[in-house]
C-alpha cells in the first residue's frame, strides 16, 4: 500500500512539475514572441493598414522597425542584439546572410501563396529554389528627371549627369552599391567590378560629379524631387513611380550602359522567436489583394501575378516600372562581393561623401 501511495505521489509531483513548466514556457513564449511578430523592413515599404489587418486576422501584435540600407540591416542582424522574425533584405544581402548562417530554411508548405509569384522572380542565383526567401518587390536603379528644369537634355546615358548644366541639381540615393554601381556603369564596367584600378577610376569620376550633387539623401529624396528642389535624381524605380504620382511632369529612364536590377525578398532570421507567425506573415503578404494594396501604397513593382491584375492598367502596363525581360536581361544583379570587398565599396562611397562636404 505504501508503495502505491509513493508511486501515486511521484506521478502527481511529475504532473504538476510538467504543468508548471508548460505554463512557464507559454508565458515565456507570450513574452518573447508567441503573441508578437517583429518585422524589420526598409523605410516607407509597407502599407501600415495591412499590418493592422494582419494583426486583426491573426491576433498577433506586430512590432515594426525600419532600416535604410542593406549595410545597416546587415550590421544589426549580424550583431544579434534584437531578434527579428521577418526581415526584407535585397538579393546580395540575402546571399551574404545565407553564407553567414543567419537564416532558416522556409517551410514552403506554410506559404501556399508562393504560387502567385511570377516564375521570372523565383529560383534566382542568390537563393536557388527559394529555400530561404520569397519575393516582395523588385525594380531597377535609374535617373528621374524634370524636363522643365533640364532644357531638353537626354538621360539615356549615365554620362549626362556630369553635364555642367546640372550644377547643384542632382540628388543621389544614399546607397553605396547604387552610387558606386552607377559610376562603374558610366565607365562601362560591371556594378560588381572588383578590379582596384577600376574602383579608383570610379571614385575619381564620382568626385568629378560632386559640383552637380546637391545632396545624398534617404527616403526624403521623394519629397525633394516631387517638390522640384532639384532637376534630377538617381533613385530606385519604385521611388520614381511614387514621385511621379505626386508630380507627373517627371520621367524615369534606365541608362543604356546598363544598371542594377534588384529583388527584395522576405526571410526569417535564425534568431527568430516566432517562426510560425513569420510564415503566416509571409503568406499573408503574398495574397493577391494584400500584395496589390501594398504595391499601390508604396509604389513599387510587385512580382505577384494575380496582384498585378488587380492594379490599374496604367500601372501594370507601364514598362518604366514593369520592364519586360528583354530589358531586364541586360541589367545586373549585385553580387555578394564578400565581406572585404563590400567593406571596400562602402569605404569608397564614404570617401566620396567626405570629399563632397
Ligand atoms: C524603400 C526602399 C526600397 C529599396 N524605401 C530597394 N531595394
Amino acid at each position: 500500500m505504501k508503495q502505491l501511495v509513493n508511486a501515486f505521489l511521484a506521478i502527481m509531483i511529475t504532473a504538476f512539475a510538467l504543468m508548471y513548466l508548460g505554463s512557464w514556457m507559454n508565458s515565456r513564449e507570450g513574452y518573447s514572441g508567441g503573441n508578437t511578430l517583429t518585422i524589420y523592413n526598409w523605410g516607407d515599404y509597407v502599407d501600415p493598414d495591412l499590418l493592422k489587418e494582419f494583426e486583426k486576422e491573426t491576433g498577433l501584435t506586430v512590432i515594426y522597425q525600419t532600416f535604410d540600407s542593406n549595410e545597416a540591416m546587415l550590421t544589426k542582424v549580424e550583431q544579434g542584439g534584437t531578434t527579428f522574425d521577418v526581415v526584407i533584405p535585397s538579393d546580395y544581402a540575402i546571399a551574404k546572410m545565407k553564407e553567414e548562417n543567419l537564416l532558416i530554411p522556409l517551410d514552403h508548405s506554410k506559404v501556399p501563396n508562393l504560387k502567385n509569384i511570377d516564375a521570372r522572380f523565383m529560383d534566382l542565383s542568390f537563393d536557388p529554389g527559394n529555400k530561404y526567401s520569397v519575393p516582395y518587390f523588385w525594380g531597377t536603379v535609374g535617373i528621374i528627371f524634370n524636363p522643365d528644369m533640364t532644357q531638353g537634355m537626354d538621360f539615356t546615358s549615365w554620362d549626362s549627369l556630369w553635364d555642367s548644366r546640372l550644377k547643384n541639381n542632382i540628388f543621389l540615393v544614399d546607397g553605396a552599391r547604387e552610387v558606386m554601381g552607377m559610376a562603374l556603369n558610366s565607365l562601362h564596367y560591371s556594378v560588381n567590378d572588383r578590379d582596384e584600378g577600376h574602383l579608383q577610376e570610379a571614385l575619381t569620376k564620382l568626385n568629378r560629379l560632386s559640383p552637380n550633387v546637391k545632396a545624398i539623401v534617404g527616403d526624403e529624396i521623394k519629397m525633394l524631387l516631387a517638390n522640384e528642389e532639384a532637376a534630377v535624381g538617381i533613385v530606385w524605380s519604385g521611388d520614381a513611380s511614387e514621385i511621379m504620382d505626386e508630380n507627373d511632369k517627371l520621367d524615369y529612364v534606365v541608362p543604356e550602359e546598363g544598371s542594377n536590377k534588384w529583388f527584395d525578398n522576405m526571410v526569417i532570421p535564425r534568431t527568430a522567436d516566432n517562426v510560425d507567425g513569420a510564415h503566416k506573415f509571409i503568406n499573408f503578404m503574398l495574397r493577391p489583394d494584400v500584395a496589390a494594396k501594398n504595391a499601390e501604397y508604396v509604389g513599387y513593382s510587385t512580382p505577384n501575378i494575380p496582384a498585378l491584375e488587380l492594379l490599374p492598367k496604367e500601372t501594370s502596363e507601364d514598362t518604366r516600372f514593369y520592364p519586360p525581360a528583354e530589358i531586364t536581361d541586360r541589367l545586373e544583379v549585385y553580387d555578394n562581393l564578400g565581406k572585404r570587398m563590400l567593406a571596400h565599396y562602402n569605404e569608397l562611397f564614404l570617401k566620396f561623401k567626405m570629399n563632397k562636404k
Side-chain angles (χ1 to χ4, degrees):
M1 184 63 189
K2 196 158 176 220
Q3 263 178 2
L4 251 174
V5 171
N6 277 349
F8 178 74
L9 274 176
I11 289 169
M12 288 308 281
I13 289 167
T14 314
F16 275 116
L18 283 175
M19 266 167 65
Y20 179 76
L21 187 69
S23 77
W24 176 78
M25 277 172 64
N26 273 340
S27 68
R28 204 191 88 83
E29 208 183 302
Y31 170 72
S32 66
N35 297 321
T36 61
L37 189 78
T38 309
I39 299 169
Y40 195 32
N41 192 4
W42 294 83
D44 289 354
Y45 218 31
V46 77
D47 178 345
D49 282 349
L50 291 171
L51 299 180
K52 288 203 198 92
E53 198 173 319
F54 176 75
E55 287 183 325
K56 229 167 73 196
E57 281 185 20
T58 58
L60 294 169
T61 302
V62 170
I63 299 169
Y64 194 77
Q65 289 188 38
T66 61
F67 55 84
D68 54 15
S69 70
N70 282 301
E71 288 63 37
M73 177 280 303
L74 283 168
T75 307
K76 192 138 180 185
V77 176
E78 284 163 0
Q79 277 167 356
T82 322
T83 55
F84 299 109
D85 296 309
V86 179
V87 181
I88 309 181
S90 311
D91 36 67
Y92 72 95
I94 294 172
K96 189 160 189 280
M97 292 168 98
K98 270 171 44 181
E99 194 178 273
E100 292 170 7
N101 195 26
L102 292 172
L103 303 178
I104 62 160
L106 302 175
D107 180 348
H108 283 213
S109 73
K110 291 185 179 167
V111 193
N113 288 334
L114 199 50
K115 67 174 188 297
N116 297 328
I117 301 295
D118 189 335
R120 208 178 139 193
F121 304 108
M122 297 285 290
D123 200 22
L124 299 178
S125 62
F126 61 89
D127 184 23
N130 290 84
K131 198 166 166 210
Y132 295 92
S133 76
V134 307
Y136 186 70
F137 284 123
W138 68 284
T140 57
V141 171
I143 302 177
I144 186 166
F145 64 100
N146 188 327
D148 286 0
M149 298 168 78
T150 47
Q151 308 116 33
M153 284 178 69
D154 170 319
F155 291 96
T156 48
S157 164
W158 287 115
D159 271 332
S160 59
L161 299 175
W162 277 261
D163 191 310
S164 59
R165 284 175 290 178
L166 293 178
K167 191 160 180 350
N168 203 31
N169 228 345
I170 302 176
F171 286 121
L172 296 182
V173 60
D174 192 5
R177 296 296 303 260
E178 286 74 8
V179 174
M180 284 297 295
M182 175 271 282
L184 287 164
N185 272 160
S186 79
L187 292 161
H188 298 271
Y189 298 141
S190 159
V191 295
N192 299 308
D193 205 313
R194 294 155 185 267
D195 179 284
E196 188 51 25
H198 294 173
L199 292 172
Q200 291 301 333
E201 244 182 278
L203 176 61
T204 306
K205 188 158 182 188
L206 272 183
N207 286 335
R208 282 204 288 112
L209 185 66
S210 283
N212 286 0
V213 177
K214 187 162 185 185
I216 303 166
V217 284
D219 281 332
E220 63 276 29
I221 201 166
K222 288 176 280 186
M223 191 257 298
L224 291 167
L225 286 160
N227 290 346
E228 311 193 343
E229 299 281 340
V232 173
I234 308 305
V235 292
W236 290 301
S237 49
D239 277 5
S241 136
E242 258 198 290
I243 296 162
M244 285 154 60
D245 268 351
E246 293 293 315
N247 185 336
D248 60 10
K249 271 190 244 160
L250 282 77
D251 201 359
Y252 176 76
V253 294
V254 176
E256 276 161 5
E257 295 94 337
S259 185
N260 162 243
K261 60 180 165 195
W262 51 264
F263 308 94
D264 291 341
N265 284 19
M266 298 179 272
V267 301
I268 306 181
R270 184 157 298 283
T271 50
D273 271 327
N274 192 348
V275 174
D276 190 54
H279 281 93
K280 281 195 182 122
F281 181 77
I282 291 173
N283 197 47
F284 173 81
M285 292 314 290
L286 297 182
R287 223 166 71 188
D289 59 319
V290 171
K293 196 158 183 266
N294 205 26
E296 246 176 321
Y297 183 92
V298 301
Y300 275 75
S301 310
T302 179
N304 189 307
I305 294 177
L308 203 53
E309 283 158 12
L310 297 174
L311 292 176
K313 274 217 167 3
E314 64 264 32
T315 304
S316 59
E317 288 176 358
D318 190 333
T319 53
R320 290 170 301 185
F321 305 118
Y322 285 94
E326 302 90 82
I327 294 182
T328 53
D329 281 352
R330 66 178 174 82
L331 305 180
E332 293 177 288
V333 182
Y334 297 135
D335 285 347
N336 172 19
L337 297 169
K339 224 182 182 69
R340 298 233 333 239
M341 192 46 79
L342 184 62
H344 190 43
Y345 267 63
N346 291 340
E347 180 186 79
L348 293 170
F349 180 53
L350 199 64
K351 274 197 178 152
F352 160 64
K353 286 209 235 182
M354 303 296 276
N355 173 282
K356 195 186 145 35
K357 276 182 191 149

